[in-house]
Amino acid sequence: TAASLMQLSFRNITALAPMVRVGTLPMRLLALDYGADVVYCEELIDIKMAQCHRVVNDVLETVDFVAPDDRVMFRTCEREKDRVIFQMGTADPDRALVVARLVEKDVAAIDVNMGCPKEYSTKGGMGAALLSDPDKIEAILKKLVAGVSIPVTCKIRILPTVEETVSLVRRIEKTGVTAVAVHGRLKEERPRHPVHCDYIQAVAQAVSIPVIANGGSLDLVKTNADIEEFRKATGASSVMLARAAMWNASVFSNQGPLPVERVMEEYLKYAIQYDNNAFNTKYCLCQMLRDKVESPLGKQLQAAQTSAEICKAYGMQELFQQTQERLQARRDTLQSSTEPDRPVVDGDVTTMAVKFERREYPPRVTPKMFLLEWSRKEKLEQPLYETVQRSQDRAFQSIVTVAQKRYRSSLWEKSKKFAEQAAAVVCLRVLGVPEGRIGEEDSGLVCKRKREGKMNGTTEEEGNIKRHIAAIQQETDKSEAAAVVSGDHHRPDTPPEQP
């Protein structure tokens, strides 16, 4: 957007570098808190992102890009909207543009990874593999620059000679990118090798777009004051930090560095607030512990399997509990304010936003029982329930199949039983069949007699349900007959229109 273009500058900034498994939302927010100007997300592969759909998460107050298997591939929030740079791994201009357009309203810029030497990136022709294919680099960057309204950048590694590196960056500049980040190592080199500041300097002198220097965490950048020294040594406009920030994000603060114990607690607060994956949280905290990973705290952290256990290791159980309660309250408020809507056909499944509220039904009476009774009366096969659980909050959703038609609630439930009841409610409402709620016409019949023993081979409860269904079915038959007489030709099995 025009606002992002005005707000985001790549000159004289410090940035959190893209780091696989590290650059998720909690670390990005932490880096911003400590003074980073710009934060890159971890490299996200175009093929996976192209399958995602954008979901506004009202509970967490985030925007989530969710894969078909319900995994959240990228989560962002308002706080970082004009500061977060979405880095993708790609080797295909068209697919790169699809992904860029998917996220462009929620991020400040798009970056293409051209430096990752890891096999998962290079084997698909992405990352550092692109360095040997400048035509493809040009095609991807030109397509993105022309196709999105936010800045486009890229991050490269140096080539074997200064001349080759300068030549490539000049070609990149001509595509219209806003900035280029240069990691001052060859693709064969690893973090233990010294960074080549002279290569970055040559590039910075050769082009007019901002150059962001990267690769100084090993021996050049240990404190906040070192950032400026690294900038001078490379002649670059800006500096990007990876491992120095991963070990202690307060390196971005001119008040820093702060004790790593405090930094870990601040990180953990964000991880809980934004429901970060427990194993991702654990991985990031282990990186911060570094050589203390075998300490009592380190051992407790390594043994932890859930966010609750991680918080216990840090003595933050109370904060965890309070956050869970707050999120659950928000979930409940949002779900209760969702008005029951009209049925929506989603593929071969009919859906409604329905939440099963136990208190709305008499004791020992449920929609599932009513649906079973109705199916028997209609001589249909028994209703079949299929239930799935999603990973991010362990919630359940169920589909019920009745008469070869499928029904489900679009809302997720806290238990498998409740999910099945919600699916049954949807089915009953779509079919226009009573569901047994308190206050429903003739529902007094359900609990009128005391439940004692059996009646004619059925329990009192089943007898009550049968009478209840029979009574309301009579009413339904009467109203259908009246509808035909009055010329109202709505099919009896379609729900009434909402006013």
Side-chain angles (χ1 to χ4, degrees), residues 54-88:
R54 181 184 183 273
V55 176
V56 175
N57 186 328
D58 291 318
V59 175
L60 296 178
E61 297 178 311
T62 58
V63 174
D64 299 344
F65 291 85
V66 184
D69 64 358
D70 271 340
R71 259 191 336 141
V72 177
M73 300 303 298
F74 176 58
R75 171 168 284 162
T76 185
C77 66
E78 192 64 34
R79 159 93 171 88
E80 65 169 6
K81 190 172 183 178
D82 60 352
R83 296 273 174 252
V84 65
I85 298 178
F86 181 88
Q87 192 193 57
M88 74 170 88

Side-chain angles (χ1 to χ4, degrees), residues 144-277:
L144 289 173
V145 169
V148 295
S149 58
I150 55 176
V152 175
T153 63
C154 67
K155 181 171 183 274
I156 67 162
R157 279 185 173 234
I158 60 172
L159 295 174
T161 68
V162 171
E163 292 74 27
E164 286 173 279
T165 309
V166 167
S167 171
L168 175 65
V169 177
R170 279 185 170 145
R171 197 165 170 186
I172 286 170
E173 181 181 32
K174 286 183 180 143
T175 64
V177 294
T178 306
V180 61
V182 181
H183 183 164
R185 290 185 179 89
L186 295 160
K187 65 181 179 185
E188 299 78 23
E189 291 181 319
R190 291 297 170 264
R192 64 180 179 275
H193 295 110
V195 64
H196 301 274
C197 290
D198 53 332
Y199 278 65
I200 303 176
Q201 197 169 33
V203 167
Q205 288 168 356
V207 294
S208 57
I209 55 171
V211 171
I212 308 165
N214 174 232
S217 291
L218 175 69
D219 39 20
L220 299 181
V221 181
K222 292 183 171 67
T223 68
N224 183 257
D226 295 336
I227 296 174
E228 188 53 37
E229 292 305 310
F230 184 50
R231 194 194 314 271
K232 285 177 183 167
T234 57
S237 305
S238 300
V239 171
M240 174 189 279
L241 297 178
R243 283 162 309 133
M246 172 180 76
W247 294 325
N248 188 326
S250 70
V251 71
F252 289 113
S253 169
N254 52 22
Q255 311 293 311
L258 300 172
V260 73
E261 290 74 20
R262 183 170 154 196
V263 175
M264 287 192 288
E265 283 187 15
E266 294 299 319
Y267 172 85
L268 197 43
K269 284 178 190 172
Y270 276 133
I272 300 163
Q273 181 181 344
Y274 289 105
D275 194 24
N276 199 47
N277 176 284

Side-chain angles (χ1 to χ4, degrees), residues 277-483:
N277 176 284
F279 291 101
N280 181 253
T281 300
K282 180 173 158 178
Y283 176 84
C284 292
L285 290 168
C286 283
Q287 304 310 307
M288 293 182 219
L289 277 172
R290 297 183 76 187
D291 53 358
K292 295 179 192 159
V293 83
E294 291 305 319
S295 66
L297 171 61
K299 285 180 176 168
Q300 213 180 332
L301 175 61
Q302 288 182 73
Q305 296 294 305
T306 63
S307 295
E309 288 170 7
I310 294 169
C311 289
K312 189 177 178 186
Y314 284 85
M316 293 169 69
Q317 304 97 305
E318 197 177 335
L319 180 75
F320 177 77
Q321 202 50 48
Q322 287 169 350
T323 306
Q324 293 310 301
E325 286 166 9
R326 193 178 75 247
L327 292 177
Q328 190 55 51
R330 202 180 288 163
R331 232 173 251 126
D332 292 344
T333 303
L334 287 164
Q335 291 221 331
S336 63
S337 66
T338 307
E339 290 183 28
D341 58 351
R342 298 176 191 176
V344 174
V345 178
D346 180 4
D348 66 337
V349 184
T350 303
T351 75
M352 289 174 78
V354 169
K355 191 161 171 60
F356 175 64
E357 299 287 356
R358 187 70 195 86
R359 64 180 179 274
E360 292 181 0
Y361 299 84
R364 296 166 64 193
V365 170
T366 66
K368 276 183 74 176
M369 293 159 72
F370 269 66
L371 183 56
L372 180 61
E373 282 299 321
W374 182 83
S375 301
R376 285 175 178 162
K377 177 179 170 292
E378 296 295 317
K379 297 187 171 52
L380 298 169
E381 282 185 30
Q382 194 166 311
L384 179 69
Y385 295 87
E386 307 160 65
T387 304
V388 292
Q389 185 178 25
R390 66 182 178 191
S391 57
Q392 63 254 46
D393 60 359
R394 319 296 292 159
F396 294 85
Q397 194 176 54
S398 189
I399 293 177
V400 63
T401 303
V402 175
Q404 296 171 333
K405 290 189 177 172
R406 289 147 61 82
Y407 308 86
R408 71 168 160 79
S409 171
S410 56
L411 306 180
W412 292 73
E413 294 279 4
K414 61 188 174 186
S415 73
K416 181 173 181 284
K417 286 180 181 176
F418 274 41
E420 290 178 351
Q421 297 292 358
V425 171
V426 173
C427 178
L428 290 163
R429 287 186 188 173
V430 170
L431 295 171
V433 175
E435 61 194 73
R437 268 188 307 170
I438 294 169
E440 214 173 48
E441 198 177 345
D442 290 304
S443 64
L445 287 170
V446 175
C447 304
K448 198 172 270 182
R449 295 179 186 231
K450 289 180 183 172
R451 293 181 172 85
E452 293 175 334
K454 300 228 173 188
M455 308 183 311
N456 304 326
T458 63
T459 64
E460 179 85 16
E461 185 180 344
E462 284 173 346
N464 284 337
I465 292 168
K466 283 179 176 170
R467 279 199 306 281
H468 181 50
I469 288 176
I472 297 182
Q473 193 63 50
Q474 272 186 320
E475 291 298 318
T476 309
D477 293 344
K478 282 181 198 167
S479 64
E480 279 174 27

